[in-house]
């Protein structure tokens, strides 16, 4: 079978699947199988009628759920961790790398030295509520400059990423009755920013996305209020 014949038949088959209402992801799986079959005959298929796959909104919490989770977390250290993960949309790796000097309570900002997927360091704003929680936490735990912001219970070593996952999951199951992971809090930040009118570029910069494709998933959220962004906490 010639390349032209392969492409013609495959094009017709893809259009048939569209008419039958198959999901874009299912159609692309079917095309991949046909493409592999064609390659066995030395034919490299290139189609232009493949449907785009819609970016799905990742799982996230509602704003009242986040408030309930934060307010219901009784351990001050764990409350500070959950609050900061959400308020700044941090990755777990970014959280555990923070030192006390990265936090400026006077200016209400936090400095991210090495965003994993960003080209340059970023200083992010924190809310009044987050600042107060962190101030209480630092005072109660006697943290000094040069120390990790979230040290392990054993001493000056940093808390592990596994421990952070366990903290978020444990409190979310107890308070919300659902399993929440730290990255879900980050997704929630993106969704909330979009709901309150932030554009894609602002969300991308705030979350430290390297690619616009990663941010595009939040485009399906319809802003409910195109005004100055209120505090998320």
């Amino acid at each position: 079978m010639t390349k032209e014949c392969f492409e013609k038949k495959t094009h017709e088959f893809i259009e048939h699947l569209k008419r039958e209402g198959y999901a874009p992801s299912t159609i692309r799986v079917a095309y991949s199988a046909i493409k592999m079959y064609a390659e066995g005959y030395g034919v490299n298929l290139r189609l232009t009628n493949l449907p785009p796959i819609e970016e799905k909104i990742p799982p996230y919490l509602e704003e009242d759920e986040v408030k309930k989770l934060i307010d219901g977390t009784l351990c001050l250290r764990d409350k500070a961790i959950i609050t900061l993960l959400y308020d700044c949309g941090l990755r777990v790796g970014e959280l555990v790398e923070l030192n006390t000097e990265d936090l400026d309570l006077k200016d209400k900002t936090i400095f991210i030295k090495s965003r994993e997927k960003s080209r340059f360091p970023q200083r992010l704003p924190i809310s009044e509520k987050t600042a107060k929680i962190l101030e209480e936490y630092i005072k109660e735990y006697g943290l000094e400059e040069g120390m990790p912001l979230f040290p392990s219970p054993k001493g000056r070593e940093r808390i592990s990423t596994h421990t952070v996952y366990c903290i978020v999951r444990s409190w979310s199951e107890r308070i919300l009755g659902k399993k929440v992971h730290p990255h879900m809090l980050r997704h929630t930040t993106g969704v909330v920013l979009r709901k309150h009118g932030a554009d894609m570029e602002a969300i991308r910069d705030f979350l430290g996305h390297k690619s616009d494709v990663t941010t595009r998933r939040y485009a399906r959220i319809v802003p409910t209020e195109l005004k100055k962004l209120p505090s998320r906490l």
Side-chain angles (χ1 to χ4, degrees), residues 91-104:
R91 303 177 179 93
V92 176
E94 295 168 346
L95 179 92
V96 300
E97 288 298 319
L98 291 171
N99 290 333
T100 52
E101 65 268 21
D102 296 325
L103 178 64
D104 190 330

Side-chain angles (χ1 to χ4, degrees), residues 56-62 65 178-189 191 217-218:
K56 293 184 178 180
I57 302 171
Y60 65 92
L61 298 176
E62 298 295 338
E65 290 182 306
K178 61 173 64 176
K179 296 178 181 179
V180 176
H181 53 79
H183 218 69
M184 188 183 294
L185 294 174
R186 176 172 162 84
H187 290 319
T188 302
T189 305
V191 169
R217 67 186 70 180
Y218 303 113

Side-chain angles (χ1 to χ4, degrees), residues 190-210:
V191 169
V192 172
L193 285 171
R194 181 59 180 161
K195 282 185 176 181
H196 287 297
D199 60 27
M200 292 298 101
E201 184 176 359
I203 296 174
R204 182 199 65 195
D205 292 345
F206 189 86
L207 295 179
H209 289 158
K210 183 178 180 181

Side-chain angles (χ1 to χ4, degrees), residues 91-179:
R91 303 177 179 93
V92 176
E94 295 168 346
L95 179 92
V96 300
E97 288 298 319
L98 291 171
N99 290 333
T100 52
E101 65 268 21
D102 296 325
L103 178 64
D104 190 330
L105 291 173
K106 183 178 179 180
D107 291 339
K108 295 183 179 60
T109 59
I110 194 159
F111 186 66
I112 312 300
K113 295 187 294 292
S114 55
R115 284 221 118 156
E116 297 172 6
K117 299 179 182 179
S118 183
R119 293 169 295 178
F120 48 84
Q122 293 188 4
R123 185 172 294 279
L124 300 176
I126 59 176
S127 69
E128 182 74 32
K129 181 175 181 178
T130 300
K132 288 182 179 179
I133 291 173
L134 288 171
E135 184 176 16
E136 293 175 12
Y137 159 70
I138 289 173
K139 183 177 180 180
E140 181 170 314
Y141 281 74
L143 300 181
E144 301 175 353
E145 187 173 345
M147 293 180 63
L149 184 58
F150 297 106
S152 68
K154 296 182 180 180
R156 298 176 69 89
E157 296 181 2
R158 299 181 187 280
I159 193 173
S160 69
T161 57
H162 176 71
T163 299
V164 175
Y165 273 88
C166 290
I167 287 171
V168 175
R169 179 167 177 170
S170 176
W171 284 108
S172 63
E173 287 184 329
R174 185 183 309 182
I175 298 169
L176 302 178
K178 61 173 64 176
K179 296 178 181 179

Side-chain angles (χ1 to χ4, degrees), residues 61-107:
L61 298 176
E62 298 295 338
E63 291 180 72
D64 60 339
E65 290 182 306
V66 177
K67 186 178 186 303
K68 184 178 180 181
L69 175 60
I70 293 173
D71 292 345
T73 301
L74 303 179
C75 172
L76 187 55
R77 181 204 63 173
D78 296 354
K79 184 191 291 284
I81 286 173
I82 294 172
T83 303
L84 197 53
L85 282 171
Y86 166 70
D87 194 27
C88 294
L90 297 181
R91 303 177 179 93
V92 176
E94 295 168 346
L95 179 92
V96 300
E97 288 298 319
L98 291 171
N99 290 333
T100 52
E101 65 268 21
D102 296 325
L103 178 64
D104 190 330
L105 291 173
K106 183 178 179 180
D107 291 339

